[in-house]
């Protein structure tokens, strides 16, 4: 059993900042990529940022220079620092992790339950 639990969402004014956190727990052998996706009402889920075990990062063009993803491999956590927030950043943000529960099992993607981020203008 694996759980991903997000925290840190909320309501903020445009130009403000929020920090999202996600902790993975349960039967985990290794975690490859961890990341954040978001889904706004009426839109498809989209990648915001992801980070490999080794620290290589990837960002959506819309958040480059404003958001920073980081992770703590020892704690199986991933964070998303969001600065200079815009109303168009409003969405439900989902954490994900590509992980193996055992050395001999397939790598599967797990998702958190999502946390709401609302940016007012």
């Amino acid at each position: 059993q694996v759980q991903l639990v997000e925290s840190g969402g909320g309501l903020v004014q445009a130009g403000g900042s929020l920090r999202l956190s996600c902790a993975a727990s349960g039967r985990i052998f290794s975690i490859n990529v961890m990341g954040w996706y978001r889904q706004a009402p009426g839109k498809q889920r989209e990648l915001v940022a992801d980070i490999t075990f080794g620290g290589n990062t990837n960002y959506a063009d819309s958040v480059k220079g404003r958001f920073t993803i980081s992770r703590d491999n020892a704690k199986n956590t991933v964070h998303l620092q969001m600065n200079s927030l815009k109303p168009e950043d409003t969405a439900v943000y989902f954490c994900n992790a590509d992980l193996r529960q055992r050395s001999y099992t397939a790598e599967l993607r797990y998702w958190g339950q999502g946390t709401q981020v609302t940016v007012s203008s």
Side-chain angles (χ1 to χ4, degrees):
Q1 189 82 1
V2 173
Q3 283 190 316
L4 273 64
V5 179
E6 299 114 332
S7 60
L11 173 64
V12 64
Q13 289 189 332
S17 298
L18 282 174
R19 180 177 170 85
L20 304 183
S21 295
C22 173
S25 63
R27 192 182 296 273
I28 298 172
F29 173 74
S30 64
I31 303 179
N32 183 8
V33 179
M34 300 187 81
W36 292 93
Y37 282 68
R38 66 186 181 188
Q39 187 166 19
K43 295 188 176 181
Q44 289 190 333
R45 190 174 295 191
E46 63 175 4
L47 174 69
V48 177
D50 60 26
I51 183 168
T52 67
F53 181 87
N56 292 321
T57 58
N58 177 45
Y59 294 93
D61 288 343
S62 59
V63 307
K64 283 181 182 177
R66 300 188 298 122
F67 291 10
T68 302
I69 190 169
S70 61
R71 67 188 278 178
D72 184 331
N73 292 329
K75 297 181 179 179
N76 289 338
T77 56
V78 63
H79 309 280
L80 186 68
Q81 178 66 44
M82 304 186 294
N83 299 328
S84 303
L85 282 160
K86 305 175 181 180
E88 50 264 43
D89 294 318
T90 295
V92 178
Y93 284 69
F94 297 90
C95 164
N96 77 278
D98 297 340
L99 63 87
R100 297 180 188 273
Q101 289 195 274
R102 288 288 185 263
S103 61
Y104 50 83
T105 57
E107 184 176 286
L108 298 176
R109 174 161 291 186
Y110 292 82
W111 293 92
Q113 79 286 354
T115 185
Q116 178 70 46
V117 171
T118 303
V119 184
S120 62
S121 56

